[in-house]
Amino acid sequence: MNSIKICPLSSGSSGNCILLYIGEVKVLVDCGITGKAAECELARAGVNPKELSAIIVTHEHIDHISGVGIMCRRYRLPVYATLGTWKAMINSIGKIDPLLIRYIASEVPFEINGAQFHPFSTSHDAAESIGLVFSDGEKYGAVATDLGTVTKHIFDLLLKCSIIMIEANHDEAMLISGPYPRHLKERILSDCGHLSNKLCGALCAKLVREGALRKIMLGHLSSDNNTPHLAYETVKNSIENACCCNTEDITLFVADRYSMKEEIGD
């Protein structure tokens, strides 16, 4: 049985929700879909929402929090987020029982029922956004979407991860030539925006070459400025070219925008 596993229930600008398995512990990272959709996709994954231990929120953008309040209230799930994220999202998620509010801080590890988490700061344009490294005490995985840019500190944290959910948000050529207004293009391309397919591929190649990474889930693809095929091929080619290895040795999937279709574990 896998000791850690990443199972994206929805991934993209229309909503993000990721199910993590860490040993026997199950948590949601973000819930940017409706409560009904979350319940449906959890059922598809064979999980009763009552089995969940918590929701961890990476940042307050609506595609990450729209279903947090309803899932918290319906199933009495503790919600973990940074102070900045709590302040930014509290008016959007509805009334939360104070007993279910959990404050976390970047770079301060915490545990949920024995599962270990290390939140790290990201440069995304949010109040106090984070990514997560998680572990069962032996194996490590990460959720690294909405990164903006990859610092040396983030890279060093990801080196020990054998599985990762990473953003491949856009194809630069599609974005530049596409219909978005200039200010939005500049925001997406900036260090406060999102990783392109090219930058994601370079990061994954380096992590495969220098670290433990062997299983990759690409997520948070733009519906307007990317395609699953482009994201997959760009990252695949980057790994093959940089590592001089066949990607048959690497598990590489693209998360579905609306439903649970693939998962990776170790």
Side-chain angles (χ1 to χ4, degrees):
M1 178 179 292
N2 291 326
S3 56
I4 58 172
K5 187 162 64 173
I6 300 173
C7 179
L9 306 182
S10 179
S11 183
S13 54
S14 53
N16 296 274
C17 186
I18 303 165
L19 172 64
L20 298 184
Y21 300 77
I22 308 102
E24 298 301 314
V25 177
K26 303 177 185 71
V27 302
L28 290 184
V29 176
D30 295 331
C31 189
I33 55 179
T34 67
K36 183 176 180 180
E39 291 168 342
C40 178
E41 295 309 315
L42 284 166
R44 191 188 300 269
V47 174
N48 187 315
K50 294 179 181 179
E51 299 175 44
L52 298 172
S53 295
I55 303 172
I56 304 172
V57 179
T58 62
H59 64 291
E60 76 278 6
H61 290 167
I62 196 66
D63 58 320
H64 293 259
I65 67 164
S66 62
V68 168
I70 187 64
M71 291 296 286
C72 168
R73 290 184 289 274
R74 186 171 292 169
Y75 298 104
R76 298 289 301 171
L77 296 175
V79 178
Y80 291 72
T82 62
L83 176 60
T85 296
W86 269 112
K87 288 181 176 179
M89 75 175 177
I90 193 63
N91 290 332
S92 299
I93 63 174
K95 186 178 176 65
I96 300 295
D97 186 336
L99 294 175
L100 298 176
I101 293 175
R102 304 285 190 274
Y103 293 102
I104 58 176
S106 178
E107 310 305 338
V108 179
F110 64 97
E111 292 192 2
I112 300 175
N113 298 337
Q116 302 169 16
F117 299 88
H118 184 138
F120 57 85
S121 295
T122 66
S123 63
H124 194 54
D125 57 350
E128 193 179 355
S129 59
I130 59 167
L132 283 172
V133 171
F134 61 94
S135 175
D136 65 348
E138 296 182 0
K139 297 179 178 180
Y140 293 83
V143 175
T145 62
D146 300 80
L147 279 174
T149 191
V150 180
T151 64
K152 182 180 184 303
H153 174 64
I154 291 175
F155 178 77
D156 289 343
L157 286 175
L158 299 181
L159 272 175
K160 60 187 175 184
C161 297
S162 57
I163 65 174
I164 190 171
M165 173 90 174
I166 183 86
E167 71 170 340
N169 177 257
H170 59 276
D171 174 80
E172 290 184 10
M174 284 185 69
L175 175 62
I176 292 169
S177 64
Y180 281 12
R182 180 177 176 180
H183 72 88
L184 182 54
K185 292 179 182 181
E186 291 176 347
R187 175 249 173 187
I188 294 170
L189 291 167
S190 76
D191 286 351
C192 296
H194 293 281
L195 292 189
S196 66
N197 294 341
K198 182 179 178 181
L199 290 175
C200 175
L203 172 61
C204 289
K206 194 172 183 183
L207 289 172
V208 168
R209 187 174 65 244
E210 300 180 22
L213 185 61
R214 291 298 178 269
K215 297 180 181 180
I216 303 161
M217 182 70 72
L218 305 179
H220 214 301
L221 274 67
S222 168
S223 59
D224 298 313
N225 304 303
N226 209 353
T227 69
H229 177 74
L230 264 177
Y232 180 89
E233 288 298 321
T234 302
V235 175
K236 173 179 176 289
N237 291 336
S238 293
I239 293 172
E240 289 181 341
N241 293 338
C243 302
C244 299
C245 69
N246 194 310
T247 49
E248 289 180 0
D249 301 325
I250 306 298
T251 300
L252 178 63
F253 288 124
V254 178
D256 189 81
R257 180 172 300 279
Y258 299 109
S259 64
M260 193 291 293
K261 290 189 176 178
E262 305 287 359
E263 61 186 27
I264 53 174
D266 196 10

